Amino acid sequence: MAKLSIRIASFIIFFSFSLSFNTSLCCPNEQKLALLQFKSSVFNESISNSSLDIPIGGVESWDSSSDCCQWDLVTCNTRSALRNVVGLDLYSFVISLAPETVVSSVVLEPLFQIRSLMKLDISSNFLQGQFPTNGIANLNKLVHLDMRENRFNGSIPPQLFSLKNLQYLDMSSNSFVGVLNGEVATLRNLRVLNLDENFLTGEIPTDIGNLTQLRRLSLRQNRFSGVISKSFLQLTELEVLDFRNNSLSMEIPIDIGSLSNISTLALSMNQLTGEIPPSIKSLSKLVTLQLENNLLSGEIPTWLLDIKALKILNLGGNHLTWNNSLPVAPKCMLSQLSLKSCRLAGLIPFWISTQKNLDFLDLSENELEGTFPRWLAKSNLGTILLSDNKLMGPLPPPLFQSLNLSVLALSRNNFSGELPKNIGDTTSIMILMLANNNFSGLIPKSISKIYRLLLLDLSHNQFSGSTFPSFSPKALLAYIDVSSNRLSGQLPVNFALGTRILALGDNEFSGPLPTNLSNLSQLEHLDLHNNYITGNLPEFLAQMSSLQVLNLRNNSLEGQIPNALSKLSSLRILDLSVNNLSGRIPANIGNIVGMIKTPNTFTLISDVFTFSIEFSDLILNWKKSLQGLSSRNLEIYCFLDLSRNRLSGEVPTSMGGLTSLKLLNISHNKLSGSIPMSFGGLESVESLDMSHNYFSGKIPWTLANLQQLGTLDVSNNKLVGQIPMGSQMDRLNDPNSFANNSGLCGMQIQRPCPMTSPPKSPPRSVVAKSDTWFSWNGAWVGFPIGFVSVLVSAYFSGYLTLKPRRRRPRSIRK
Ligand SMILES: *[C@@H]1O[C@H](CO)[C@@H](O)[C@H](O)[C@H]1NC(C)=O
Ligand SMILES: *[C@@H]1O[C@H](CO)[C@@H](O)[C@H](O)[C@H]1NC(C)=O
Ligand SMILES: *[C@@H]1O[C@H](CO)[C@@H](O)[C@H](O)[C@H]1NC(C)=O
Ligand SMILES: *[C@@H]1O[C@H](CO)[C@@H](O)[C@H](O)[C@H]1NC(C)=O
Ligand SMILES: *[C@@H]1O[C@H](CO)[C@@H](O)[C@H](O)[C@H]1NC(C)=O
Ligand SMILES: *[C@@H]1O[C@H](CO)[C@@H](O)[C@H](O)[C@H]1NC(C)=O
Ligand SMILES: *[C@@H]1O[C@H](CO)[C@@H](O)[C@H](O)[C@H]1NC(C)=O
Ligand SMILES: *[C@@H]1O[C@H](CO)[C@@H](O)[C@H](O)[C@H]1NC(C)=O
Ligand SMILES: *[C@@H]1O[C@H](CO)[C@@H](O)[C@H](O)[C@H]1NC(C)=O
Ligand SMILES: *[C@@H]1O[C@H](CO)[C@@H](O)[C@H](O)[C@H]1NC(C)=O
Ligand SMILES: *[C@@H]1O[C@H](CO)[C@@H](O)[C@H](O)[C@H]1NC(C)=O
Ligand SMILES: *[C@@H]1O[C@H](CO)[C@@H](O)[C@H](O)[C@H]1NC(C)=O
């Protein structure tokens, strides 16, 4: 939607093509041949790779027997005597012709023979490879070149910069690299230079100021750094200046006010410093001012609201402050306002009620107090973000009579009382986040009537009751978090069939796992920890093949761990700890594919992102940490915790094959036999806890292979012999981790081993390493390898600590 809106808002086309036909004239034969050659090379590339029979995309009419001026997608000149091809609208052409096919950028080359072209739109075709340089310089009549949304890579061909008549150049959403060099400056007639969403790097050159005709300059989503040369202030015709999402580190030039025609000044997501310069006051045509997510400081001047044309004012995410005691009488009519984290204190400013066109309001991360104002509840906004403030009291029912409200985020305040019964009247709401407040009472049944609801976060409140709203299987609701409340009764199962995340943990749900849970076949994340779930771990769980996270920690499950669980090939976090599970660990546990080779698609997170990006410039703050985690290495989300059960017998050797595991905890069970040698294969493991079992024999020397190991606990077993040495093992010298065994020795616990029983010698490489790394004193230096990531992933799955969380006292439980 963001892209769409950019496109809608996209710059005015500076010329128009007249479409009329003169059947008595044909297009030049060489142009027709060039087009046919283009068509057949696209076909040659695509047909072989797809089963597509029927040509679509508008090229059905392209056949050699007809006049190419009559073809779809082709525009010819009607004014001159020669009917030359002047326009080609090949937007989404290849993709509709051959979906999911990789088509090389060389297919474009024939088009470069059509020297009369003025407009060439090849956007959204996902063409791959370098933009062809061969012949592009022929197109010196080109005014409009749109190459958005392809997969062009490499550098921008310098030949492009010889197209002197170019007025519109859009290169967004590609993968170009390199430095935007001085050659751009020779494009004296260039009026629009749009290099959006590529990966251009380097500083923006001084010669940019030579492009005095530019009306729109967009370098959005590149990697420009440093300072923009002041010469850009010579671009007095500029109407749109869009440098969003680069790494510019500079102050906003104090004489920015000389760009008097500017209507959009979009500099968000850079590292701009300094204050908002006073000269902005003179930009009387300014409609959009986007400065959010920079390092700007100082007090936000109230005169900004005197700019009559202003509609979008986004200043959030800086070090700016807003003095809420200053009198304000806005002369503008804003549609968007973001004053996120602007140290706004006191009541929600009343002047906002004068902004009758307001659709988007972000006042999150401030120090706002008082209750939710009635005027705001009645204001029909589309998006209200007030998370992370000190607001309190109940929500006014009129808020839920709005038919426009689509995002409401009030998390981490002190709102209280029951949710209005009429909450289901807001049929438009898509995202409802009320986490970490003090709401109580029942979750209103009407909430299940909200057809568009996608994300519901009611976690960390005081909601209670034993009847959960029943959602239609066809509902859109995909992300549900009601954890940490006081909900009780049977586990609810009436959710949308497309549910992805279901977090019901830390409540008082009881009874067995309902069979109908397995209807939720898209479920990726099922978190039921800290409840009173009883009965066996059912086989049907194995049918939920999308499961990536299964957390049943701290319930009362009993019986064996079903063998079938290893069929859950996407599973990467499995927590069955603190239950009454008994019997052996299934021998095939080592078959859980997701813990061996963690897939590199973590749809759980990326999906949250996809829909958060749909709202232009809205970055949702759902579960705070989720967002922060998304950019990290994905393989960190992998662990297995079976601790604090009654599991017995030997540990299956196959467990050592779970090479992606970061954390393995089998402590506090009744496991016996020896620790498998295969554990030396847990190459990613950072935390390994086998304590409080009946393990006997020696600690296998293979553990010295575990280069990531930061925590090892084998205490309270019956282990004997020498603690292996080498690599990380040398640093694991906490005596508590080895305590209460039947005769362990080694330098880690400062207990020399008797000479009579030499340890099985470790492989030579490990010995060599231990020589250089070994040191008694600096032993802790190596400890934190990757440990932070374990903590992070632990937090992600809902734990605050790696140790079992203390249950809050409960009367019903013995
Ligand atoms: C169509 O072409 C004929 C010559 O073949 C010319 O006389 C006539 O003016 C053209 N009409 C248009 C609308 O260009
Ligand atoms: C397409 O393939 C056919 C036969 O495979 C070949 O004759 C023709 O030259 C090819 N066309 C192009 C443009 O590569
Ligand atoms: C088409 O598919 C074949 C085999 O499936 C592959 O080798 C070839 O690279 C593909 N062509 C393109 C252009 O992707
Ligand atoms: C561009 O993409 C093509 C195909 O995807 C690849 O073969 C080539 O190495 C890439 N070139 C650069 C400079 O990344
Ligand atoms: C840009 O303009 C400056 C001053 O007019 C001139 O010295 C410089 O050569 C120009 N650069 C290019 C690349 O034309
Ligand atoms: C910013 O640009 C980078 C690429 O340079 C991209 O990965 C990222 O998603 C962009 N962020 C936003 C919020 O658009
Ligand atoms: C600004 O826009 C107006 C009207 O579009 C135009 O006449 C004028 O030349 C532009 N340039 C400057 C520097 O004002
Ligand atoms: C805010 O404005 C009021 C009224 O002008 C003034 O008394 C107060 O000192 C200002 N507060 C800050 C923090 O600047
Ligand atoms: C709801 O939003 C639409 C479009 O943004 C707007 O036209 C309409 O006036 C709004 N409705 C109300 C009641 O504000
Ligand atoms: C939250 O609000 C309640 C009254 O509703 C009040 O008693 C309590 O002190 C507030 N808590 C905080 C942390 O402000
Ligand atoms: C929740 O509200 C109750 C009164 O309704 C209050 O006593 C309690 O302090 C509030 N909790 C928090 C965390 O503010
Ligand atoms: C369980 O799902 C079936 C359909 O698969 C449905 O008919 C039945 O009513 C559901 N039971 C409960 C308790 O929701």
Side-chain angles (χ1 to χ4, degrees), residues 743-768:
L744 283 175
C745 61
M747 62 86 183
Q748 291 93 339
I749 52 174
Q750 310 202 15
R751 187 181 303 156
C753 294
M755 295 302 284
T756 46
S757 61
K760 201 167 189 174
S761 70
R764 193 164 294 277
S765 63
V766 172
V767 175

mmCIF file of all heavy atoms in Angstrom, residues 743-768:
data_model
loop_
_atom_site.group_PDB
_atom_site.id
_atom_site.type_symbol
_atom_site.label_atom_id
_atom_site.label_comp_id
_atom_site.label_asym_id
_atom_site.label_seq_id
_atom_site.Cartn_x
_atom_site.Cartn_y
_atom_site.Cartn_z
ATOM 1 N N GLY A 743 33.092 -38.037 41.062
ATOM 2 C CA GLY A 743 34.537 -38.073 40.929
ATOM 3 C C GLY A 743 35.036 -37.426 39.666
ATOM 4 O O GLY A 743 35.799 -38.020 38.907
ATOM 5 N N LEU A 744 34.583 -36.210 39.404
ATOM 6 C CA LEU A 744 35.109 -35.472 38.264
ATOM 7 C C LEU A 744 36.407 -34.811 38.676
ATOM 8 O O LEU A 744 36.573 -34.411 39.830
ATOM 9 C CB LEU A 744 34.107 -34.406 37.820
ATOM 10 C CG LEU A 744 32.906 -34.884 37.007
ATOM 11 C CD1 LEU A 744 31.958 -33.727 36.743
ATOM 12 C CD2 LEU A 744 33.354 -35.521 35.698
ATOM 13 N N CYS A 745 37.306 -34.691 37.713
ATOM 14 C CA CYS A 745 38.532 -33.968 37.989
ATOM 15 C C CYS A 745 38.900 -33.154 36.768
ATOM 16 O O CYS A 745 38.320 -33.323 35.701
ATOM 17 C CB CYS A 745 39.652 -34.953 38.337
ATOM 18 S SG CYS A 745 40.009 -36.093 36.983
ATOM 19 N N GLY A 746 39.824 -32.241 36.969
ATOM 20 C CA GLY A 746 40.263 -31.445 35.835
ATOM 21 C C GLY A 746 40.579 -30.037 36.270
ATOM 22 O O GLY A 746 40.241 -29.617 37.386
ATOM 23 N N MET A 747 41.251 -29.316 35.397
ATOM 24 C CA MET A 747 41.719 -27.983 35.764
ATOM 25 C C MET A 747 40.551 -27.026 35.984
ATOM 26 O O MET A 747 40.644 -26.084 36.739
ATOM 27 C CB MET A 747 42.692 -27.463 34.703
ATOM 28 C CG MET A 747 42.138 -27.293 33.317
ATOM 29 S SD MET A 747 41.341 -25.718 33.072
ATOM 30 C CE MET A 747 40.762 -25.912 31.412
ATOM 31 N N GLN A 748 39.391 -27.289 35.344
ATOM 32 C CA GLN A 748 38.256 -26.381 35.495
ATOM 33 C C GLN A 748 37.801 -26.290 36.940
ATOM 34 O O GLN A 748 37.276 -25.262 37.372
ATOM 35 C CB GLN A 748 37.074 -26.836 34.619
ATOM 36 C CG GLN A 748 37.306 -26.695 33.127
ATOM 37 C CD GLN A 748 37.859 -27.955 32.497
ATOM 38 O OE1 GLN A 748 38.439 -28.812 33.175
ATOM 39 N NE2 GLN A 748 37.699 -28.067 31.185
ATOM 40 N N ILE A 749 37.905 -27.389 37.664
ATOM 41 C CA ILE A 749 37.480 -27.354 39.060
ATOM 42 C C ILE A 749 38.686 -27.445 39.994
ATOM 43 O O ILE A 749 38.551 -27.718 41.188
ATOM 44 C CB ILE A 749 36.462 -28.479 39.369
ATOM 45 C CG1 ILE A 749 36.993 -29.851 38.925
ATOM 46 C CG2 ILE A 749 35.134 -28.206 38.677
ATOM 47 C CD1 ILE A 749 36.089 -31.012 39.331
ATOM 48 N N GLN A 750 39.866 -27.197 39.410
ATOM 49 C CA GLN A 750 41.114 -27.159 40.164
ATOM 50 C C GLN A 750 41.326 -28.435 40.973
ATOM 51 O O GLN A 750 41.780 -28.387 42.117
ATOM 52 C CB GLN A 750 41.153 -25.930 41.069
ATOM 53 C CG GLN A 750 40.817 -24.663 40.301
ATOM 54 C CD GLN A 750 41.355 -23.415 40.976
ATOM 55 O OE1 GLN A 750 42.208 -23.480 41.856
ATOM 56 N NE2 GLN A 750 40.872 -22.269 40.534
ATOM 57 N N ARG A 751 40.920 -29.543 40.376
ATOM 58 C CA ARG A 751 41.159 -30.823 41.039
ATOM 59 C C ARG A 751 41.940 -31.698 40.078
ATOM 60 O O ARG A 751 41.410 -32.114 39.033
ATOM 61 C CB ARG A 751 39.841 -31.490 41.405
ATOM 62 C CG ARG A 751 40.043 -32.759 42.257
ATOM 63 C CD ARG A 751 38.719 -33.423 42.589
ATOM 64 N NE ARG A 751 37.806 -32.533 43.287
ATOM 65 C CZ ARG A 751 36.483 -32.682 43.293
ATOM 66 N NH1 ARG A 751 35.920 -33.668 42.617
ATOM 67 N NH2 ARG A 751 35.716 -31.845 43.965
ATOM 68 N N PRO A 752 43.206 -31.926 40.399
ATOM 69 C CA PRO A 752 44.032 -32.702 39.465
ATOM 70 C C PRO A 752 43.534 -34.136 39.325
ATOM 71 O O PRO A 752 42.968 -34.700 40.263
ATOM 72 C CB PRO A 752 45.428 -32.676 40.105
ATOM 73 C CG PRO A 752 45.289 -32.025 41.418
ATOM 74 C CD PRO A 752 43.899 -31.550 41.628
ATOM 75 N N CYS A 753 43.669 -34.653 38.144
ATOM 76 C CA CYS A 753 43.250 -36.025 37.903
ATOM 77 C C CYS A 753 44.376 -36.972 38.292
ATOM 78 O O CYS A 753 45.550 -36.670 38.077
ATOM 79 C CB CYS A 753 42.938 -36.221 36.430
ATOM 80 S SG CYS A 753 41.513 -35.271 35.914
ATOM 81 N N PRO A 754 44.025 -38.113 38.846
ATOM 82 C CA PRO A 754 45.060 -39.099 39.181
ATOM 83 C C PRO A 754 45.779 -39.556 37.917
ATOM 84 O O PRO A 754 45.134 -39.752 36.877
ATOM 85 C CB PRO A 754 44.282 -40.251 39.822
ATOM 86 C CG PRO A 754 42.844 -39.946 39.681
ATOM 87 C CD PRO A 754 42.681 -38.564 39.185
ATOM 88 N N MET A 755 47.117 -39.721 38.015
ATOM 89 C CA MET A 755 47.911 -40.054 36.844
ATOM 90 C C MET A 755 47.546 -41.424 36.285
ATOM 91 O O MET A 755 47.742 -41.699 35.113
ATOM 92 C CB MET A 755 49.413 -40.048 37.202
ATOM 93 C CG MET A 755 49.938 -38.692 37.597
ATOM 94 S SD MET A 755 49.683 -37.463 36.307
ATOM 95 C CE MET A 755 50.969 -37.951 35.172
ATOM 96 N N THR A 756 46.978 -42.250 37.124
ATOM 97 C CA THR A 756 46.746 -43.637 36.739
ATOM 98 C C THR A 756 45.640 -43.784 35.694
ATOM 99 O O THR A 756 45.589 -44.779 34.990
ATOM 100 C CB THR A 756 46.370 -44.481 37.962
ATOM 101 O OG1 THR A 756 45.398 -43.755 38.700
ATOM 102 C CG2 THR A 756 47.590 -44.756 38.820
ATOM 103 N N SER A 757 44.764 -42.824 35.615
ATOM 104 C CA SER A 757 43.684 -42.976 34.639
ATOM 105 C C SER A 757 43.730 -41.833 33.628
ATOM 106 O O SER A 757 43.006 -40.873 33.728
ATOM 107 C CB SER A 757 42.316 -42.994 35.340
ATOM 108 O OG SER A 757 42.125 -41.787 36.027
ATOM 109 N N PRO A 758 44.668 -41.950 32.679
ATOM 110 C CA PRO A 758 44.761 -40.864 31.696
ATOM 111 C C PRO A 758 43.479 -40.784 30.870
ATOM 112 O O PRO A 758 42.888 -41.818 30.547
ATOM 113 C CB PRO A 758 45.966 -41.272 30.838
ATOM 114 C CG PRO A 758 46.093 -42.742 31.007
ATOM 115 C CD PRO A 758 45.510 -43.104 32.329
ATOM 116 N N PRO A 759 43.054 -39.596 30.574
ATOM 117 C CA PRO A 759 41.832 -39.453 29.791
ATOM 118 C C PRO A 759 42.064 -39.894 28.361
ATOM 119 O O PRO A 759 43.188 -39.871 27.880
ATOM 120 C CB PRO A 759 41.564 -37.949 29.855
ATOM 121 C CG PRO A 759 42.914 -37.341 30.040
ATOM 122 C CD PRO A 759 43.720 -38.327 30.816
ATOM 123 N N LYS A 760 41.032 -40.285 27.738
ATOM 124 C CA LYS A 760 41.083 -40.581 26.309
ATOM 125 C C LYS A 760 41.562 -39.309 25.633
ATOM 126 O O LYS A 760 41.027 -38.225 25.880
ATOM 127 C CB LYS A 760 39.665 -40.919 25.831
ATOM 128 C CG LYS A 760 39.649 -41.702 24.548
ATOM 129 C CD LYS A 760 38.246 -42.258 24.349
ATOM 130 C CE LYS A 760 38.190 -43.227 23.196
ATOM 131 N NZ LYS A 760 36.881 -43.859 23.113
ATOM 132 N N SER A 761 42.619 -39.435 24.829
ATOM 133 C CA SER A 761 43.206 -38.183 24.360
ATOM 134 C C SER A 761 42.325 -37.524 23.298
ATOM 135 O O SER A 761 41.839 -38.195 22.393
ATOM 136 C CB SER A 761 44.603 -38.450 23.793
ATOM 137 O OG SER A 761 44.469 -39.159 22.592
ATOM 138 N N PRO A 762 42.104 -36.252 23.474
ATOM 139 C CA PRO A 762 41.293 -35.525 22.500
ATOM 140 C C PRO A 762 42.033 -35.373 21.182
ATOM 141 O O PRO A 762 43.247 -35.566 21.134
ATOM 142 C CB PRO A 762 41.087 -34.157 23.171
ATOM 143 C CG PRO A 762 42.179 -34.021 24.166
ATOM 144 C CD PRO A 762 42.599 -35.397 24.535
ATOM 145 N N PRO A 763 41.333 -35.057 20.116
ATOM 146 C CA PRO A 763 41.997 -34.906 18.828
ATOM 147 C C PRO A 763 43.079 -33.830 18.893
ATOM 148 O O PRO A 763 42.951 -32.885 19.655
ATOM 149 C CB PRO A 763 40.877 -34.476 17.877
ATOM 150 C CG PRO A 763 39.620 -34.437 18.656
ATOM 151 C CD PRO A 763 39.916 -34.761 20.054
ATOM 152 N N ARG A 764 44.097 -34.023 18.049
ATOM 153 C CA ARG A 764 45.274 -33.173 18.123
ATOM 154 C C ARG A 764 44.934 -31.686 18.006
ATOM 155 O O ARG A 764 45.440 -30.857 18.741
ATOM 156 C CB ARG A 764 46.249 -33.577 17.016
ATOM 157 C CG ARG A 764 47.629 -33.009 17.151
ATOM 158 C CD ARG A 764 48.592 -33.745 16.258
ATOM 159 N NE ARG A 764 48.797 -35.134 16.656
ATOM 160 C CZ ARG A 764 49.651 -35.509 17.616
ATOM 161 N NH1 ARG A 764 50.378 -34.612 18.247
ATOM 162 N NH2 ARG A 764 49.805 -36.762 17.925
ATOM 163 N N SER A 765 44.045 -31.372 17.087
ATOM 164 C CA SER A 765 43.741 -29.956 16.852
ATOM 165 C C SER A 765 43.203 -29.300 18.119
ATOM 166 O O SER A 765 43.504 -28.170 18.426
ATOM 167 C CB SER A 765 42.711 -29.812 15.729
ATOM 168 O OG SER A 765 41.506 -30.423 16.121
ATOM 169 N N VAL A 766 42.385 -30.061 18.852
ATOM 170 C CA VAL A 766 41.809 -29.496 20.065
ATOM 171 C C VAL A 766 42.894 -29.244 21.100
ATOM 172 O O VAL A 766 42.903 -28.216 21.753
ATOM 173 C CB VAL A 766 40.723 -30.438 20.610
ATOM 174 C CG1 VAL A 766 40.244 -29.965 21.966
ATOM 175 C CG2 VAL A 766 39.562 -30.510 19.642
ATOM 176 N N VAL A 767 43.853 -30.181 21.186
ATOM 177 C CA VAL A 767 44.942 -29.991 22.134
ATOM 178 C C VAL A 767 45.718 -28.733 21.792
ATOM 179 O O VAL A 767 45.982 -27.896 22.647
ATOM 180 C CB VAL A 767 45.897 -31.206 22.125
ATOM 181 C CG1 VAL A 767 47.081 -30.932 23.023
ATOM 182 C CG2 VAL A 767 45.151 -32.449 22.575
ATOM 183 N N ALA A 768 46.027 -28.591 20.517
ATOM 184 C CA ALA A 768 46.811 -27.438 20.091
ATOM 185 C C ALA A 768 46.104 -26.147 20.490
ATOM 186 O O ALA A 768 46.714 -25.231 21.017
ATOM 187 C CB ALA A 768 47.020 -27.472 18.576
#
